[in-house]
Amino acid sequence: MARSDLLIDLVRAALKADRTRIKKVTEAIIAEERAKQHNILADRLTASLQNAPVRPPANELSRRPVRNGNGSRNGKDFIVEHTPRRSLDSLFLPQPCMDLCREIIEEQHRASVLRSHGLEPRHKFLLAGPPGNGKTSLAEALAYELNVPFFVVRYETVIGSFLGETSSRLKSIFDYARTTPCVLFFDEFDTLGKERGDTHETGEIKRVVSSLLLQIDDLPSYTVVISATNHSELLDKAVWRRFEARLELPRPTRKNLEAYFSIFLNQFEENSGYQPSTLAKHLCGTSYAEAEDFCLDIRRRYILSMGEKVLKEIIGSRLQQWKTRYTPSS
């Protein structure tokens, strides 16, 4: 059974003939029923909402989602659902960032307490920083901790060549995300949220940004939207204001890498012959993703050696390869 406050809100909206509010409250009820695994009821409510014989205002007709190549208008066609496997504790994050993430998780888990006081949990976050330092992993970890689906937007299917197509597809994505508690992730968010004052951008991208901001504002708090960017300077100024939490994930310091390699080396029963500080010195300046690749490479060679090579020898050979790796010129 849906929460009493939602049912009361629905009745009030119906008595006022507030169609927008009816839609929002019904979507909240659908999301709650899906969270309880009441999928039959949720599907029936969804079908009723989609088939409601309500004619939208004339100025809304042009905003209906555009059919994709398969004739579908479902927002699910423009996202990829991943099963979250990383926990928050498995990540190396700056302490202020870790503390904020734990607050976010608590607010979502105890949303009913906040709502009883007229408040909603925070659910709109912007992650910034150079590539390879945990933005995608953090979004996945939040989905894992909240025990909700992890939806990643597919830009190759969203960006359209016709006027209004991209905005319509974005709307269908947000409409789908409202039907269930989830984490909706926009990687490389600057692709969509560019500064509208940029004279080199077309009028179409400006319309996309305006539509995007409206859709973000309209999201219910059980839909957690996380956007990540490597180029925060390109984002529209109004985009920053939409996000309730903004987190920077910088490159790891030498001390961070030392802690990372310490945990990695402790996984082996065999003495590695290397100190974590030595590995951190050799890989100083790399991202966490590159450090992870380095460690995974060592593990692969260690497993395939079947005991024919000692761990120290394998690490030494990996360090030699690391020194000769190709690095794009700046």
Side-chain angles (χ1 to χ4, degrees):
M1 179 64 70
R3 295 201 321 265
S4 58
D5 58 324
L6 288 177
L7 293 176
I8 293 171
D9 201 3
L10 183 62
V11 171
R12 288 174 177 170
L15 291 175
K16 295 179 181 179
D18 186 345
R19 293 173 178 173
T20 301
R21 187 60 186 166
I22 290 173
K23 183 174 182 292
K24 287 184 178 180
V25 176
T26 304
E27 287 172 344
I29 293 175
I30 291 171
E32 187 168 280
E33 295 306 313
R34 286 201 190 281
K36 297 175 182 177
Q37 303 299 315
H38 299 165
N39 292 322
I40 294 178
L41 175 57
D43 289 342
R44 291 180 67 180
L45 287 171
T46 300
S48 298
L49 197 61
Q50 292 175 343
N51 298 326
V54 178
R55 180 175 178 80
N59 62 350
E60 291 291 318
L61 290 174
S62 61
R63 296 174 59 190
R64 290 184 175 183
V66 177
R67 294 180 183 272
N68 63 15
N70 298 325
S72 171
R73 300 192 307 184
N74 194 332
K76 193 173 183 179
D77 297 329
F78 308 119
I79 62 174
V80 176
E81 180 176 354
H82 295 280
T83 301
R85 292 186 172 87
R86 289 180 183 265
S87 67
L88 193 62
D89 289 334
S90 70
L91 304 182
F92 283 77
L93 299 172
Q95 195 57 47
C97 182
M98 181 68 80
D99 293 341
L100 180 57
C101 289
R102 295 198 184 284
E103 289 177 5
I104 290 166
I105 293 167
E106 181 187 18
E107 289 177 19
Q108 286 290 327
H109 282 317
R110 305 181 65 192
S112 58
V113 177
L114 292 175
R115 292 188 181 110
S116 67
H117 290 79
L119 298 172
E120 292 290 334
R122 287 173 288 181
H123 66 113
K124 293 176 284 190
F125 315 109
L126 179 65
L127 308 179
N133 291 294
K135 295 187 291 296
T136 302
S137 296
L138 178 53
E140 178 186 351
L142 286 174
Y144 178 90
E145 300 294 345
L146 295 174
N147 194 28
V148 297
F150 181 43
F151 297 149
V152 179
V153 176
R154 299 169 54 200
Y155 288 130
E156 74 275 11
T157 63
V158 172
I159 307 299
S161 57
F162 297 104
L163 185 65
E165 196 171 29
T166 302
S167 296
S168 295
R169 290 175 177 177
L170 280 172
K171 183 178 184 303
S172 68
I173 290 173
F174 284 107
D175 285 344
Y176 179 76
R178 290 187 187 96
T179 65
T180 183
C182 65
V183 168
L184 180 63
F185 182 57
F186 288 86
D187 198 5
E188 299 182 10
F189 190 61
D190 44 278
T191 301
L192 295 173
K194 291 183 179 179
E195 171 61 57
R196 285 171 290 183
D198 188 343
T199 57
H200 298 289
E201 292 298 343
T202 64
E204 175 64 3
I205 194 63
K206 295 177 182 179
R207 284 187 287 271
V208 168
V209 174
S210 297
S211 175
L212 179 65
L213 297 180
L214 289 173
Q215 295 298 329
I216 291 176
D217 284 342
D218 201 36
L219 278 177
S221 60
Y222 55 78
T223 299
V224 177
V225 60
I226 301 177
S227 300
T229 179
N230 302 330
H231 303 285
S232 56
E233 72 280 0
L234 298 179
L235 294 180
D236 189 272
K237 295 180 178 62
V239 168
W240 289 91
R241 185 169 57 82
R242 260 57 185 197
F243 294 98
E244 300 152 316
R246 307 163 193 169
L247 306 176
E248 182 182 8
L249 300 181
R251 286 185 178 274
T253 64
R254 187 165 168 175
K255 185 177 181 180
N256 295 147
L257 287 174
E258 185 174 338
Y260 183 88
F261 289 126
S262 177
I263 292 176
F264 170 69
L265 294 176
N266 285 337
Q267 296 173 358
F268 296 93
E269 294 182 1
E270 181 180 342
N271 189 336
S272 69
Y274 283 87
Q275 293 295 322
S277 57
T278 304
L279 297 182
K281 177 182 177 181
H282 283 288
L283 276 78
C284 187
T286 64
S287 66
Y288 277 119
E290 291 171 315
E292 182 179 46
D293 288 341
F294 177 79
C295 293
L296 289 175
D297 199 13
I298 292 173
R299 183 174 291 279
R300 290 189 192 96
R301 303 318 306 168
Y302 185 75
I303 292 172
L304 293 177
S305 71
M306 303 293 288
E308 294 181 2
K309 292 184 177 180
V310 296
L311 182 58
K312 180 179 179 180
E313 182 182 353
I314 293 173
I315 294 177
S317 68
R318 296 306 97 186
L319 285 174
Q320 287 299 320
Q321 282 196 3
W322 182 262
K323 292 178 182 178
T324 59
R325 76 192 189 285
Y326 171 73
T327 303
S329 59
S330 56

